Amino acid sequence: MSKIVVCGGGGFIGGHLVMDLLRQGHTDIRSVDIKPFDEWYQRAPKVENLQLDLSEKEACEKALAGAHTVYNLAADMGGMGFIENNRALCMLSVLINTHLCMAAKKHNVQRFFYASSACVYAADKQTDPNVTALKESDAYPAMPEDGYGWEKLFSERMCRHFREDFGLNTRVARYHNVYGPNGTYEGGREKAPAAICRKVIQAKLSGKHEIEIWGDGHQTRSFMYIDDCLKGTQAILASNILEPINLGSSELVSINQLVDIVEGIAGIKLKRSYNLKAPKGVNGRNSDNTLIRKYLNWEPNVKLRDGLEKTYRWIYDEMTKKK
């Protein structure tokens, strides 16, 4: 029952991870985030909650004091609209992982998890909506998403070299579009599943049965439900997998198909308009899960419609409460 520190614990994935660790019976948990407590997505009273700016070296040393296991989920990020318009802010997250690695080395942390992203993959592998699923080696030669992707790829290397040079036991997972309840669904940082749920709900509540879609709707992605993300993250940290590994669903859908599913959940059909000037990212991205099946005999298994239904219901309740 050694101390577990969740960095970014006030965020979407971090909040769910803290709650999951509590359900498993862990009692010595520290949750750290830069946001004021009233802005945390989930906050558990039985946990040591700290508000710290983890881009600062001293804050990282305070956060990791006495830690056995560290999950680094902290980053300044959001959906495509945010990362395409805030590249410098995304790059500055390199300070978080750098100072956390230094603090982990200083405090003799036994296990260190870094949450990377599918945005590390080379752009020339993602030009076609009918994309070949991305395998781990497709990150090199490097041509990642400008800003956010470069920071993630650099931080992956930082973890590797701290392991090789200093013996810090690091594990890295490349997340592919994590979604679910208790996350961002408005304000500019939300990702596609939450944004589409919000837009469909707005159309239903307002009676104006129209929806704007960013891009032409043919761009493709895979989306991983939060429960699968939590299971995969903890399995990877406990494993002997040294190289960065995909953690994502292989269920490929277009954005138009994503809208179809949410419309089906809502019981509504909307008139679609396409904003071709809006940020839309690469044309196609999917997760090749060959390695995670080989190493762990496991891959995410929550079907997209099932996860979206839970997400839609939560966002609907939140939006109607506000009204």
Side-chain angles (χ1 to χ4, degrees):
M1 306 298 284
S2 302
K3 186 180 295 294
I4 301 172
V5 179
V6 178
C7 300
F12 165 50
I13 299 174
H16 277 284
L17 177 59
V18 169
M19 296 303 178
D20 190 58
L21 292 168
L22 286 170
R23 281 191 294 270
Q24 294 175 41
H26 294 281
T27 56
D28 193 0
I29 303 170
R30 179 181 295 147
S31 183
V32 187
D33 205 284
I34 191 173
K35 294 185 288 293
F37 290 139
D38 61 359
E39 294 180 15
W40 288 29
Y41 295 124
Q42 298 184 74
R43 182 158 63 98
K46 295 181 180 179
V47 168
E48 180 189 4
N49 297 301
L50 298 179
Q51 184 190 353
L52 294 171
D53 181 354
L54 293 175
S55 67
E56 298 176 353
K57 181 172 178 284
E58 295 76 13
C60 289
E61 292 185 355
K62 180 178 180 180
L64 268 52
H68 175 277
T69 300
V70 174
Y71 291 91
N72 178 15
L73 309 173
D76 201 349
M77 57 84 69
M80 193 53 60
F82 179 82
I83 65 176
E84 284 199 4
N85 293 305
N86 295 276
R87 294 188 174 115
L89 284 178
C90 291
M91 289 292 288
L92 284 171
S93 293
V94 73
L95 295 173
I96 298 173
N97 195 60
T98 301
H99 290 144
L100 282 175
C101 282
M102 292 169 67
K105 172 178 174 285
K106 178 177 180 178
H107 290 302
N108 196 30
V109 166
Q110 297 302 298
R111 289 267 171 172
F112 185 97
F113 175 86
Y114 177 65
S116 186
S117 166
C119 288
V120 303
Y121 284 114
D124 62 357
K125 303 276 188 183
Q126 303 172 81
T127 58
D128 189 337
N130 301 308
V131 63
T132 300
L134 296 160
K135 56 186 184 294
E136 284 76 4
S137 58
D138 288 332
Y140 295 94
M143 195 193 305
E145 182 83 37
D146 200 6
Y148 180 70
W150 277 108
E151 185 277 321
K152 288 295 184 185
L153 194 62
F154 178 86
S155 292
E156 285 187 4
R157 305 295 288 197
M158 177 77 72
C159 289
R160 170 182 170 175
H161 296 310
F162 264 72
R163 175 173 53 80
E164 293 174 341
D165 293 0
F166 303 128
L168 179 61
N169 205 3
T170 58
R171 299 291 183 269
V172 176
R174 291 173 179 163
Y175 287 168
H176 287 248
N177 295 310
V178 186
Y179 74 99
N182 293 104
T184 303
Y185 63 89
E186 62 184 353
R189 290 181 183 257
E190 66 277 14
K191 296 188 177 183
I196 289 171
C197 285
R198 185 198 76 241
K199 289 178 179 182
V200 171
I201 293 165
Q202 284 173 333
K204 185 167 185 172
L205 294 177
S206 69
K208 188 178 181 182
H209 291 183
E210 299 176 0
I211 185 171
E212 180 188 84
I213 297 170
W214 287 9
D216 60 12
H218 297 301
Q219 64 269 35
T220 54
R221 295 290 187 276
S222 64
F223 300 96
M224 174 173 55
Y225 190 62
I226 182 64
D227 290 0
D228 281 330
C229 177
L230 300 177
K231 292 174 188 173
T233 293
Q234 292 169 77
I236 289 166
L237 181 61
S239 75
N240 294 318
I241 304 169
L242 298 182
E243 67 265 37
I245 189 165
N246 280 334
L247 185 56
S249 170
S250 56
E251 185 182 355
L252 186 70
V253 293
S254 70
I255 299 302
N256 276 330
Q257 289 171 324
L258 189 64
V259 177
D260 289 341
I261 295 170
V262 179
E263 285 179 336
I265 294 167
I268 196 170
K269 198 68 181 172
L270 304 177
K271 180 182 177 183
R272 302 180 186 186
S273 63
Y274 295 90
N275 184 348
L276 301 182
K277 294 182 179 179
K280 72 180 187 71
V282 296
N283 287 325
R285 177 181 293 152
N286 194 16
S287 179
D288 184 322
N289 289 342
T290 303
L291 273 186
I292 197 166
R293 286 196 303 267
K294 173 186 171 184
Y295 285 128
L296 301 177
N297 192 29
W298 181 84
E299 67 175 317
N301 60 15
V302 175
K303 296 299 182 186
L304 181 59
R305 195 195 187 284
D306 295 337
L308 277 174
E309 183 153 13
K310 294 178 183 178
T311 306
Y312 177 93
R313 302 300 175 202
W314 180 81
I315 295 174
Y316 184 91
D317 288 345
E318 291 295 302
M319 291 176 66
T320 50
K321 271 193 295 187
K322 287 185 178 180
K323 283 178 72 69

